Amino acid sequence: MFGVFGQSSAVDAYFAFETPIAKAKLLANIGANGSSAHNAKPGIVIASPSTSDPDYLYTWTRDAALVFQTLIEQYTLGQDDTLSPLINDYIAAQTILQQVSNPSGTVSTGGLGEPKFNIDMTAFTGSWSRPQKDGPALRAIALMTWASSLNVSQASELWPIIKPDLDYVARYWNETTFDLWEEVPSSSFFTTAVQHRALRQGAIFSFSYGQSENLSTYITQAENTLCFLQSYWNPSGYMTANTSGGRTGKDANTVLASIHMFDSQLECDPVTFQPCSDRALSNLFNYVQSFNIYAINNGIPSNQGSATGRYSEDIYYNGNPWYLTTLAVAEQLYDALIVWNTIGSLTVTSVSLPFFTNLVPNITEGTYWSGTTYAVLTTAVREYADSFVSVVAKYTPADGSLAEQFTRTDGTPTSARDLTWSYAALLTANNARNGVVPATWYGVWMAVPVVCVGLDVPKIQSTFFINANTVLGGMQG
């Protein structure tokens, strides 16, 4: 079946080939019955079966939540009704892991920020970059998304698992964390973004199911995280991924944040960094252009897709493109097309103009409604998005396996084999390309506060003069 946007037949063929492989290999990496997840407890996601160079045979809270968010959405959107037992295994496993004391603390003293565990659900006690504060937020998001498919009684039973993560986010969001690449201790855009989503979604969830004990705290800290999120913007046209680290800040962290903040009802809202917002598109343009340093990108015009990695200064395994980051670029653009095709218009601002002129050189600022120019612009974006998938297809081995990375010199797969997150990224990009719209999470109108504060004694305080807000319908019950 062709996608709703009618993209190239080559990309159609690649997704038709690769999607079932990615789904099977993703499931193979989940215990206890996954064929590659030997000795993993039920519901435990292994990052990769690789045990050396590198050893990824652990379970990361972040990766597991992102993988199960993918599976949960497939279930709730009616794509696979066989996943319920596996999702329940995940919930049972996370209920146990929340209570495992570890080097970051206990469940009540910061232990929820522990990034990874052994696959038998015991604590990993070796040296590591800890804490990492995106994990609890992402887990809460996944569980709340699952709750939307349940009746009131069943959904309420998840509250004792969701609440500790929300409370952790509300309490610790304003303190230093390692970024999702486990390298930079600072504040991190991706982390702040998913923390905001978790708190916003958590406020709606707690209100809807009569769990109002910490409702005001979730609302307040959701406002503060949204406010702080604005401070990452660099007037040069991109989000600075981390508040320290000595790099340019152009990082896949920010593209991943945009797709995981996607809510089609927010349309092209820049405050929540929606995929079609002018800031997100400008950020994407600057991020992609930073990877002309790769040999495999030599000779590729700027208006064609190229291989992208974590950030241009990367040296891990010599600093290569990643499958999941290249797919994330395509997914952001597919998400943008979903919104434009829904509202029937597209706006080019001074901020997003460089992105659009790279694709359609003579375009000018303005709002383009359905018509000739609108069709030219959206067709160019569709083709651009597909061209990133074509890059992934070019460097996908014949058996359809996706490693973590492919080399910057000749595209040979490298680093961890069969990376679970790579397969999840393939599945979500395909869904976005097919116009599949995830459930809304935002809920109600929220303006950006003019002063950002933390809970108790703030570690960071920033003041902004912002006239921006997001508008949506009333609280959902």
Side-chain angles (χ1 to χ4, degrees):
M1 181 180 294
F2 289 93
V4 294
F5 301 135
Q7 295 89 352
S8 70
S9 59
V11 175
D12 285 331
Y14 173 69
F15 272 125
F17 163 77
E18 183 63 24
T19 298
I21 294 173
K23 178 71 169 291
K25 285 182 173 288
L26 181 152
L27 294 175
N29 284 354
I30 302 175
N33 297 321
S35 59
S36 298
H38 303 299
N39 300 316
K41 295 291 187 181
I44 289 294
V45 178
I46 64 170
S48 159
S50 177
T51 57
S52 63
D53 195 25
D55 182 3
Y56 278 16
L57 194 60
Y58 296 93
T59 186
W60 272 261
T61 303
R62 168 183 50 253
D63 295 39
L66 291 171
V67 166
F68 266 94
Q69 179 73 12
T70 302
L71 296 178
I72 287 167
E73 287 182 345
Q74 287 201 350
Y75 181 91
T76 58
L77 295 170
Q79 295 178 314
D80 187 344
D81 62 4
T82 71
L83 292 170
S84 180
L86 194 62
I87 294 167
N88 286 327
D89 283 347
Y90 168 72
I91 295 169
Q94 297 307 306
T95 304
I96 294 170
L97 284 178
Q98 280 184 331
Q99 303 298 323
V100 174
S101 297
N102 56 67
S104 295
T106 67
V107 66
S108 59
T109 62
L112 295 176
E114 182 69 7
K116 73 175 188 177
F117 294 84
N118 297 315
I119 63 173
D120 63 358
M121 298 199 295
T122 60
F124 172 76
T125 57
S127 176
W128 207 253
S129 301
R130 50 171 68 95
Q132 295 176 30
K133 295 177 179 164
D134 54 351
L138 291 165
R139 180 167 55 199
I141 290 167
L143 294 178
M144 289 185 288
T145 303
W146 174 241
S148 68
S149 70
L150 306 176
N151 62 42
V152 173
S153 176
Q154 292 169 326
S156 297
E157 289 176 1
L158 291 177
W159 182 243
I161 312 166
I162 295 169
K163 182 178 184 295
D165 284 340
L166 293 177
D167 290 349
Y168 176 91
V169 174
R171 179 178 179 184
Y172 292 109
W173 74 265
N174 211 14
E175 296 185 3
T176 297
T177 178
F178 277 89
D179 67 335
L180 80 166
W181 309 132
E182 308 189 302
E183 295 174 338
V184 178
S186 68
S187 293
S188 179
F189 182 76
F190 176 84
T191 302
T192 304
V194 297
Q195 287 172 330
H196 169 70
R197 174 173 173 176
L199 290 167
R200 184 83 229 123
Q201 202 167 340
I204 296 168
F205 186 92
S206 62
F207 176 85
S208 299
Y209 294 99
Q211 304 292 342
S212 59
E213 176 186 355
N214 290 336
L215 175 60
S216 62
T217 297
Y218 300 153
I219 293 173
T220 298
Q221 298 310 321
E223 291 174 344
N224 287 335
T225 51
L226 183 62
C227 180
F228 186 60
L229 198 65
Q230 314 313 308
S231 70
Y232 293 92
W233 179 247
N234 185 312
S236 297
Y238 60 92
M239 285 293 180
T240 303
N242 300 302
T243 56
S244 66
R247 304 196 294 248
T248 63
K250 299 173 185 177
D251 191 309
N253 166 325
T254 58
V255 179
L256 291 165
S258 185
I259 63 177
H260 289 293
M261 290 284 278
F262 179 47
D263 184 333
S264 64
Q265 293 193 38
L266 289 171
E267 299 184 351
C268 299
D269 174 44
V271 179
T272 54
F273 207 55
Q274 291 302 301
C276 62
S277 68
D278 56 357
R279 285 189 170 190
L281 293 172
S282 176
N283 177 79
L284 185 79
F285 172 75
N286 280 282
Y287 162 73
V288 169
Q289 299 306 313
S290 69
F291 292 102
N292 57 15
I293 57 173
Y294 292 159
I296 60 174
N297 288 340
N298 288 346
I300 298 177
S302 64
N303 64 351
Q304 294 295 312
S306 55
T308 71
R310 301 190 301 176
Y311 50 90
S312 63
E313 303 93 337
D314 197 1
I315 59 173
Y316 182 57
Y317 278 79
N318 297 316
N320 297 303
W322 287 39
Y323 291 100
L324 72 90
T325 59
T326 308
L327 287 165
V329 174
E331 183 172 344
Q332 182 186 327
L333 296 172
Y334 295 141
D335 286 344
L337 286 162
I338 287 172
V339 173
W340 291 328
N341 286 340
T342 299
I343 64 178
S345 68
L346 179 159
T347 298
V348 179
T349 72
S350 60
V351 173
S352 61
L353 186 62
F355 167 83
F356 285 107
T357 55
N358 180 54
L359 302 180
V360 182
N362 296 324
I363 200 67
T364 57
E365 294 176 36
T367 296
Y368 299 91
W369 297 91
S370 297
T372 302
T373 304
Y374 173 87
V376 168
L377 287 168
T378 53
T379 298
V381 173
R382 287 196 300 268
E383 293 175 350
Y384 189 49
D386 273 358
S387 65
F388 286 93
V389 179
S390 294
V391 171
V392 171
K394 180 178 180 179
Y395 298 113
T396 297
D399 66 356
S401 60
L402 297 178
E404 179 181 68
Q405 307 173 35
F406 49 106
T407 62
R408 62 195 291 164
T409 53
D410 63 8
T412 303
T414 189
S415 187
R417 65 183 177 91
D418 291 314
L419 190 77
T420 319
W421 192 356
S422 294
Y423 295 127
L426 187 288
L427 296 176
T428 57
N430 182 53
N431 258 2
R433 184 174 186 266
N434 288 330
V436 176
V437 182
T440 183
W441 58 267
Y442 205 78
V444 296
W445 177 88
M446 178 181 290
V448 182
V450 294
V451 178
C452 304
V453 296
L455 189 64
D456 298 325
V457 180
K459 301 297 187 298
I460 304 167
Q461 181 160 319
S462 304
T463 300
F464 307 98
F465 299 94
I466 298 172
N467 182 19
N469 57 58
T470 55
V471 179
L472 205 63
M475 184 78 73
Q476 301 174 6

